[in-house]
C-alpha cells in the first residue's frame, strides 16, 4: 500500500496528535523502504546481493518523526564515495518517480557524506536539517557516519552558526510578527512558532547552553496538534491559521470555539518565545565570555541596581545577601530595577523569587505601590520583564485578575495584540506621556487596568471600572484615587468617541465629556482628569495599532480635550472646523461649473486630503463618495459642513467637504479627472449606484459574507440637541459611504454634518441629520432613515 492511501486511512481512523504524526512517519518509512529495496534489487546483477553503500535518511520534521497530514517528505539519498554518479542518479529516479506519481510532496536530495557535510557548512537550513537526521532504510553505517559528523561539525562551528540562526529570528519577527498576538498567525514562521521550537533543538545540539524543557516541549506539541487539525479541516498544507478556518480547527481539537483556540495558541507561542529568549541570552553570554580577555575571566562585574538587585552578564540578578522570604517588596523592586535598566530578569533570580518569596500584605505598603508604578513607568523595558513575571507565575500572585486576561484574544482586526499584551503596551506608551499630567501614578495604573473587564459579560468599560474599585484599595490607593482610577477605566473610550465620531461644535459633544470629568469624591479636579483621560486615550490608541493611531486622530483628540479644558476655564472656544469652508465655497461660487476641488498630499505618495465645495442639495455627499469610490480612492475620514455664502445680496447654502483619502493602487488621480467625473455625476450622466454595485460584486471574496458581522445602525437620541445623529458601523467597502448617504437623501433627510472614520476594516460613521426645514428629524422620520440605511447595507 502506498503512503498516500495509508495516510488517508490513518486520518480517517480518528488517530490524532503525537500518535498520528508518528504513525504517518512510520507509514512513510515503510513505503520508502519498499521503494529503495525494489530499486536496489532491480539494479543488482543477477544472483548478486543487493548493492550496499546507499541509505535513505529522513531530515527536518520528517527526521523528528513529526509528519503532519500535509507535510512534505524531506528525504536524503545518501551514498558512499565509491558509488558512480550515473548509477546513483538511476537509483534516485527509481525512488523519486513513484513518489511523484503518487502525488506525494517530496523535498529530495542526493549526496555523499562528504558532500552533505560541505554543503551544511555553507547552507544554514541544510545544517539545521541534518541535526535531526534519522535512518529510514539501506546502509545504516552511512547514516550513523553522517549523523556523527554533522553533530560534530555543528558543535565545532556553533559560535559562528548560532548567531546566524538568531539573526534569522529577527528577520522572521519583521516578516511574520509574534504568533501570540496575531489574529491570523503563521504557526511555523512567526516568533513563538514551530521554527522557534526547532531553534531550541539547534541550541541544545551545540552543547553551549542548556535549554528549558517541559513546558516548551508541551507547547510545541500543542502547536503541532493545531497544525494537524488545520491540515485535516482545510484539506491542504498550510501553516497560517486564517480567521475563517479557526472555528473548524477548534471543533476538531475539542475546543468551544475560535477564541479558545487562539488563547491556546497564544499561550503555547508565548511559552516557546520566552524559552527562546532565555536560551538566546545564555548563548550570548557564553559567546561574550569566550571573547573576554584573560584578565577578566575571574567573573562578571556586578553593578548595584537597587536594594538586593544587581546587574551582571547582561541580566538583573538578586544580590547574594537578598532574602526574598523577609522582603515581600523584593519581586516588585527587582522587576522595576530590571525594566528601568533595560535588562531581563535572570532565570535564577526568578526561581528564587518564586520559591522563597513572601506574599505582600493587603493593602500593599507604600513602598510596594511605588515600585509597581516605577515598573509600569519603565517604558519599553517593561514588556520582557512583565512577560517573565507572567511566565513564572509571579504576576498572578501580585495581580490575580491577570490570570483571566492572559492570552485573551481580541476578535477585532484593529488590535494587533491580545488583551493582556495590549494593556502592557498601553502602559509603555503612557510612560512617555507622564510629564503631561500631575498624577503619573494614576495614568500608569489606569493604563494597565483599562481593559480589565474584557472577556466578562457586559460593557467591558463598566465591568472594568467595578473591578478597579476593588483592586485599587488592595494596591494601597485611597478612596479619592480609587474613584479617579475607576472613572478613567469607565470612560477610557469616551474622548476618542466624541473626538472622531461627533460634531465638535455641537454643545452636546463637550457636555458629555465635561460631565465625565467631574468625578464625585475624586482626588483630582475636572481639568486634571481631562489631562489624564487625554494621555490615556492616546496611549490606548497607539497600543491598539496603526488603524486607530495617526496624526489626524491625535489632532482630533488634542483639539477636543483643549476645547473641554477651555470651557472649564470659562474661555470662549473657537469653532473646531479644521479648514476654512467659507473660503472654499466662495471659490466655487466664482467659477462657471460651481465646483471647487483642492487636493494635498501631506502623508506622502498615495495619501492626502481632498477638499470639495459645491452647491448644497440632498444627495451631494453620496455623489462625491460614489465618484471617489469609482476612482479607486479609499475614504479614511470625512468632515462635512454646510456654510452660507452671500453674493450680491443673495445668500446660498454650500456643502463643504474635507476627505482624508488614500489611493487603493499607486497615486491619487489628478484633479481634472475628478472634476470631470463629479460634473457628470451631478448632472445625472453617471449611474453611480449601478457601477459601484457591479464593482463590489466583482471584488467580494468568496465566503466573505459569512465572516462579516451585520452592520449596526443606531439613532443616538442624546448625541445632539441641534440635529438627529445616526451612527453606522459596518465592514468597510469601497461603496459603503455612497450607499449610506444615498439612503439618507432618498429618505428626505439632509446631512448637515458628518464624521466619517475608517478603522482598519471597519467604518464608523456619524451623520447629523435635519429635515428640509432645518429641524431635527421626528422619531418616525429617524426610524425610517435608519431602516433605509439597513436595507441599503443588506
Amino acid at each position: 500500500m502506498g503512503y498516500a492511501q495509508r495516510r488517508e486511512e490513518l486520518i480517517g481512523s480518528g488517530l490524532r496528535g503525537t500518535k498520528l504524526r508518528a504513525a504517518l512517519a512510520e507509514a512513510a518509512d515503510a513505503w520508502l523502504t519498499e521503494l529503495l529495496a525494489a530499486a536496489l534489487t532491480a539494479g543488482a546483477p543477477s544472483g548478486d546481493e543487493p548493492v550496499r553503500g546507499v541509505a535513505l535518511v529522513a531530515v527536518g520534521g520528517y527526521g523528528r518523526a513529526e509528519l503532519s497530514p500535509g507535510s512534505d517528505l524531506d528525504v536524503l539519498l545518501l551514498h558512499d564515495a565509491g558509488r558512480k554518479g550515473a548509477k546513483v542518479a538511476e537509483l534516485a529516479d527509481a525512488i523519486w518517480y513513484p513518489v511523484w506519481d503518487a502525488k506525494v510532496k517530496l523535498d529530495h536530495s542526493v549526496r555523499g557524506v562528504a558532500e552533505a557535510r560541505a554543503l551544511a557548512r555553507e547552507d544554514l537550513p541544510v545544517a539545521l536539517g541534518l541535526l535531526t537526521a534519522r535512518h529510514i532504510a539501506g546502509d545504516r553505517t552511512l547514516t550513523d557516519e553522517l549523523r556523527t559528523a554533522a553533530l560534530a561539525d555543528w558543535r565545532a562551528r556553533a559560535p559562528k552558526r548560532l548567531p546566524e540562526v538568531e539573526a534569522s529570528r529577527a528577520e522572521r519577527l519583521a516578516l511574520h510578527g509574534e504568533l501570540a498576538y496575531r489574529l491570523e498567525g503563521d504557526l511555523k514562521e512567526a516568533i513563538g512558532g514551530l521554527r522557534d521550537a526547532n531553534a531550541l533543538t539547534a541550541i541544545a545540539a551545540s552543547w553551549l547552553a542548556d535549554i528549558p524543557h517541559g513546558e516548551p516541549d508541551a507547547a510545541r506539541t500543542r502547536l503541532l496538534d493545531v497544525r494537524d487539525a488545520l491540515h485535516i479541516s482545510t484539506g491542504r498544507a498550510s501553516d497560517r491559521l486564517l480567521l475563517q478556518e479557526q472555528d473548524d480547527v477548534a471543533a476538531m481539537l475539542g475546543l468551544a470555539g475560535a477564541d479558545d483556540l487562539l488563547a491556546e495558541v497564544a499561550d503555547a507561542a508565548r511559552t516557546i518565545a520566552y524559552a527562546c529568549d532565555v536560551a538566546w541570552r545564555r548563548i550570548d553570554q557564553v559567546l561574550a565570555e569566550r571573547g573576554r580577555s584573560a584578565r577578566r575571566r575571574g567573573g562578571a562585574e556586578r553593578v548595584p541596581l537597587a536594594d538586593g538587585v544587581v546587574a551582571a552578564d547582561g541580566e538583573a540578578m538578586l544580590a547574594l545577601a537578598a532574602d526574598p522570604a523577609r522582603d515581600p517588596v523584593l519581586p516588585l523592586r527587582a522587576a522595576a530595577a530590571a525594566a528601568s535598566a533595560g535588562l531581563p530578569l535572570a532565570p535564577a533570580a526568578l526561581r528564587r523569587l518564586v520559591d522563597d518569596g513572601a506574599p505582600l500584605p493587603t493593602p500593599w505598603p507604600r513602598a510596594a505601590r511605588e515600585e509597581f508604578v516605577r515598573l509600569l513607568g519603565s517604558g519599553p523595558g517593561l514588556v520582557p520583564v512583565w512577560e517573565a513575571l507572567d511566565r513564572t507565575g509571579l504576576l498572578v500572585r501580585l495581580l490575580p485578575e491577570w490570570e483571566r486576561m492572559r492570552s485573551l484574544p481580541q476578535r477585532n482586526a484593529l488590535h494587533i495584540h491580545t488583551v493582556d499584551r495590549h494593556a502592557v503596551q498601553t502602559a509603555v506608551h503612557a510612560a512617555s506621556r507622564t510629564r503631561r499630567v500631575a498624577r503619573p501614578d494614576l495614568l500608569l495604573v489606569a493604563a494597565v487596568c483599562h481593559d480589565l473587564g474584557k472577556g466578562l459579560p457586559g460593557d467591558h468599560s463598566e465591568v472594568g471600572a467595578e473591578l478597579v474599585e476593588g483592586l485599587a484599595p488592595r494596591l494601597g490607593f485611597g478612596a479619592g484615587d480609587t474613584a479617579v482610577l475607576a472613572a478613567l477605566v469607565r470612560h477610557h473610550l469616551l474622548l476618542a468617541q466624541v473626538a472622531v465620531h461627533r460634531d465638535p461644535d455641537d454643545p452636546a459633544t463637550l457636555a458629555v465629556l465635561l460631565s465625565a470629568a467631574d468625578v464625585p469624591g475624586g482626588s483630582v479636579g475636572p481639568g486634571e482628569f481631562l489631562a489624564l483621560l487625554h494621555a490615556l486615550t492616546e496611549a490606548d490608541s497607539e497600543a491598539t495599532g496603526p488603524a486607530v493611531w495617526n496624526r489626524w486622530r491625535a489632532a482630533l483628540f488634542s483639539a477636543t480635550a483643549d476645547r473641554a479644558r477651555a470651557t472649564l476655564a470659562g474661555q470662549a472656544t473657537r469653532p473646531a472646523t479644521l479648514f476654512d469652508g467659507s473660503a472654499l465655497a466662495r471659490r466655487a461660487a466664482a467659477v462657471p461649473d460651481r465646483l471647487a476641488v483642492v487636493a494635498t498630499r501631506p502623508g506622502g505618495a498615495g495619501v492626502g486630503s481632498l477638499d470639495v465645495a459645491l452647491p448644497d442639495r440632498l444627495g451631494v455627499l453620496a455623489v462625491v463618495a460614489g465618484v471617489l469610490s469609482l476612482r479607486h480612492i479609499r475614504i479614511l475620514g470625512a468632515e462635512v459642513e454646510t456654510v452660507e455664502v452671500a453674493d450680491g445680496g443673495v445668500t446660498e447654502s454650500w456643502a463643504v467637504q474635507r476627505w482624508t483619502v488614500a489611493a487603493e493602487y499607486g497615486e491619487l488621480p489628478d484633479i481634472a479627472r475628478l472634476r470631470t467625473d463629479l460634473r457628470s455625476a451631478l448632472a445625472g450622466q453617471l449611474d453611480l449606484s449601478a457601477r459601484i454595485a457591479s464593482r463590489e460584486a466583482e471584488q467580494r471574496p468568496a465566503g466573505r459574507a459569512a465572516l462579516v458581522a451585520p452592520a449596526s445602525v443606531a439613532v443616538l437620541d442624546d448625541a445632539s440637541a441641534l440635529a438627529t445623529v445616526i451612527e453606522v458601523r459596518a465592514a468597510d467597502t469601497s461603496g459603503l459611504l455612497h450607499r449610506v448617504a444615498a439612503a439618507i437623501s432618498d429618505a428626505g433627510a439632509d446631512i448637515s454634518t458628518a464624521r466619517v472614520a475608517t478603522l482598519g476594516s471597519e467604518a464608523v460613521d456619524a451623520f447629523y441629520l435635519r429635515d428640509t426645514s432645518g429641524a431635527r428629524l421626528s422619531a418616525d422620520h429617524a426610524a425610517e432613515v435608519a431602516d433605509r440605511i439597513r436595507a441599503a447595507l443588506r
Side-chain angles (χ1 to χ4, degrees):
M1 179 187 299
Y3 172 67
Q5 183 180 352
R6 181 59 179 153
R7 178 175 57 191
E8 295 307 312
E9 287 185 357
L10 288 170
I11 293 171
S13 71
L15 201 63
R16 294 293 182 266
T18 303
K19 292 181 178 179
L20 173 61
R21 290 188 290 276
L24 289 171
E26 184 179 343
D29 287 356
W31 185 45
L32 290 170
T33 298
E34 292 176 3
L35 293 177
L36 177 62
L40 288 172
T41 302
S46 177
D48 288 355
E49 291 294 323
V51 179
R52 299 184 62 83
V54 293
L56 284 178
V57 182
V59 295
Y62 183 24
R64 290 186 294 270
E66 291 177 347
L67 277 184
S68 288
S71 294
D72 297 0
L73 299 183
D74 199 347
V75 184
L76 166 63
L77 176 59
L78 194 63
H79 61 86
D80 62 17
R83 179 66 49 192
K84 292 182 179 179
K87 289 289 186 182
V88 172
E90 182 181 336
L91 182 65
D93 288 346
I95 300 170
W96 306 150
Y97 274 98
V99 177
W100 292 325
D101 291 342
K103 300 192 184 318
V104 173
K105 289 181 291 184
L106 177 69
D107 189 354
H108 61 91
S109 57
V110 181
R111 299 186 184 107
V113 172
E115 184 183 3
R117 292 178 65 185
L119 186 60
R121 284 193 288 271
E122 302 299 325
D123 192 314
L124 182 61
V126 171
L128 293 171
L130 290 180
L131 295 179
T132 58
R134 179 177 59 82
H135 183 71
I136 299 174
D139 191 344
R140 183 178 291 274
T141 60
L142 274 178
T143 304
D144 292 342
E145 179 186 352
L146 176 63
R147 275 184 53 82
T148 301
L151 289 169
D153 290 345
W154 180 256
R155 287 191 290 271
R157 299 173 61 82
K160 176 181 182 297
R161 304 315 297 269
L162 285 176
E164 295 175 14
V165 178
E166 191 173 10
S168 70
R169 188 179 193 234
E171 294 173 2
R172 287 190 290 108
L173 175 61
L175 288 173
H176 303 284
E178 298 176 77
L179 177 58
Y181 312 119
R182 292 289 181 176
L183 193 60
E184 296 184 326
D186 190 305
L187 297 169
K188 184 176 182 179
E189 300 294 345
I191 296 301
L194 294 170
R195 189 76 75 186
D196 262 2
N198 296 343
L200 291 174
T201 302
I203 293 172
S206 73
W207 291 3
L208 291 178
D210 291 332
I211 63 169
H213 290 286
E215 288 187 358
D217 296 331
R220 173 199 183 92
T221 298
R222 193 51 171 162
L223 290 186
L224 287 169
D225 291 345
V226 173
R227 185 170 70 170
D228 290 355
L230 179 61
H231 287 187
I232 294 171
S233 65
T234 62
R236 66 179 187 275
S238 174
D239 293 316
R240 191 172 177 201
L241 192 58
L242 297 176
L243 187 68
Q244 63 265 30
E245 294 156 359
Q246 291 169 6
D247 282 319
D248 290 341
V249 172
M252 186 165 290
L253 293 170
L255 300 173
D259 282 358
D260 288 347
L261 171 66
L262 290 180
E264 287 208 1
V265 169
D267 192 60
R270 290 170 69 170
T271 298
I272 292 171
Y274 180 66
C276 273
D277 290 341
V278 171
W280 283 119
R281 281 207 308 274
R282 287 287 167 265
I283 291 297
D284 292 341
Q285 289 168 354
V286 168
L287 296 182
E289 177 66 24
R290 289 187 172 191
R292 287 181 182 139
S293 63
R295 64 183 177 83
R296 297 190 61 189
R297 290 191 182 275
E301 182 183 1
R302 299 168 74 88
V303 179
L305 293 177
D307 184 17
V309 188
V310 298
D313 276 333
E315 294 178 321
M317 302 178 175
L318 297 187
L320 296 177
D323 188 355
R326 294 177 177 272
D327 187 354
V329 182
L330 183 58
L332 284 170
R333 191 164 62 250
S340 298
L343 296 174
L345 277 168
L350 290 164
R351 284 194 297 271
R352 285 183 65 189
L353 293 172
V354 169
D355 295 341
D356 303 331
L360 278 168
T362 301
W364 287 6
R366 178 174 178 175
R369 187 172 69 253
E370 288 179 349
E371 294 294 352
F372 182 57
V373 170
R374 190 158 75 97
L375 170 63
L376 295 178
S378 59
L382 170 65
V383 176
V385 172
W386 192 276
E387 184 73 6
L389 295 176
D390 194 15
R391 291 290 98 189
T392 55
L394 283 168
L395 187 57
V396 293
R397 291 186 188 179
L398 299 167
L399 299 173
E401 294 83 356
W402 203 260
E403 182 79 52
R404 184 185 50 77
M405 291 178 64
R406 182 186 296 121
S407 300
L408 186 65
Q410 307 208 74
R411 307 279 291 178
N412 184 331
L414 301 181
H415 279 274
I416 59 176
H417 293 125
T418 52
V419 173
D420 54 343
R421 179 63 178 273
H422 169 71
V424 176
Q425 288 294 147
T426 302
V428 170
H429 293 301
S432 66
R433 295 168 167 86
T434 52
R435 293 186 179 178
R436 289 168 32 186
V437 299
R439 290 293 304 273
D441 56 334
L442 298 183
L443 171 62
L444 293 167
V445 174
V448 83
C449 293
H450 75 282
D451 276 346
L452 208 56
K454 283 193 173 177
L456 294 172
D459 181 338
H460 83 276
S461 299
E462 290 292 340
V463 174
E466 294 173 6
L467 292 173
V468 167
E469 287 171 349
L471 171 62
R474 198 174 78 239
L475 302 184
F477 287 103
D481 287 347
T482 296
V484 172
L485 286 169
L488 285 169
V489 173
R490 179 175 289 110
H491 300 301
H492 73 269
L493 298 175
L494 180 60
L495 177 59
Q497 289 172 342
V498 299
V500 178
H501 307 302
R502 299 291 177 267
D503 181 0
D505 292 322
D506 192 307
T509 297
L510 289 185
V512 65
L513 194 57
L514 294 174
S515 175
D518 188 9
V519 181
S523 58
V524 304
E528 179 52 32
F529 182 87
L530 285 171
L532 287 166
L533 185 62
H534 183 193
L536 176 60
T537 302
E538 287 187 350
D540 184 19
S541 297
E542 190 170 1
T544 298
V548 296
W549 180 246
N550 50 50
R551 286 182 297 176
W552 173 66
R553 288 174 67 87
L556 292 178
F557 295 164
S558 295
T560 304
D562 289 346
R563 286 167 62 78
R565 284 191 287 266
T567 301
L568 283 174
Q571 301 170 1
T573 59
R574 302 176 67 181
T577 303
L578 299 181
F579 65 108
D580 187 353
S582 297
L584 193 66
R586 287 193 294 272
R587 177 174 171 177
V591 296
D593 61 4
R594 296 166 61 79
L595 177 66
V597 182
V598 177
T600 60
R601 290 175 171 80
V607 179
S609 64
L610 187 69
D611 297 346
V612 179
L614 65 171
D616 188 32
R617 71 185 194 201
L618 288 180
V620 291
L621 181 66
V623 170
V624 179
V627 169
L628 295 181
S629 173
L630 287 182
R631 282 296 170 201
H632 297 282
I633 297 175
R634 185 169 176 236
I635 298 168
L636 303 179
E639 301 162 60
V640 178
E641 65 171 340
T642 302
V643 300
E644 305 294 329
V645 175
D647 183 16
V650 177
T651 300
E652 187 176 9
S653 295
W654 290 79
V656 183
Q657 306 162 355
R658 165 157 285 186
W659 303 84
T660 302
V661 295
E664 289 183 5
Y665 316 104
E667 297 279 347
L668 292 170
D670 62 57
I671 297 301
R673 295 188 65 182
L674 283 177
R675 287 177 61 89
T676 299
D677 287 345
L678 283 170
R679 283 196 298 267
S680 298
L682 290 168
Q685 299 168 355
L686 196 60
D687 190 345
L688 292 173
S689 296
R691 292 184 60 176
I692 289 172
S694 174
R695 186 172 146 215
E696 284 188 330
E698 293 173 358
Q699 293 179 337
R700 187 178 299 117
R704 175 174 168 81
L707 301 173
V708 176
S712 167
V713 181
V715 179
L716 307 181
D717 292 323
D718 300 327
S720 172
L722 306 177
T724 298
V725 180
I726 291 183
E727 183 181 75
V728 178
R729 293 172 177 259
D732 185 39
T733 61
S734 59
L736 174 69
L737 185 56
H738 168 77
R739 283 183 283 136
V740 173
I744 291 172
S745 62
D746 289 346
D750 183 37
I751 301 172
S752 60
T753 303
R755 304 286 283 183
V756 174
T758 301
L759 310 177
S761 62
E762 292 293 304
V764 182
D765 304 337
F767 301 91
Y768 286 68
L769 308 180
R770 294 178 176 147
D771 62 19
T772 52
S773 68
R776 294 178 88 244
L777 305 185
S778 67
D780 289 343
H781 194 180
E784 178 192 350
V785 174
D787 287 341
R788 291 277 190 113
I789 295 173
R790 293 187 189 100
L793 296 182
R794 282 196 292 270

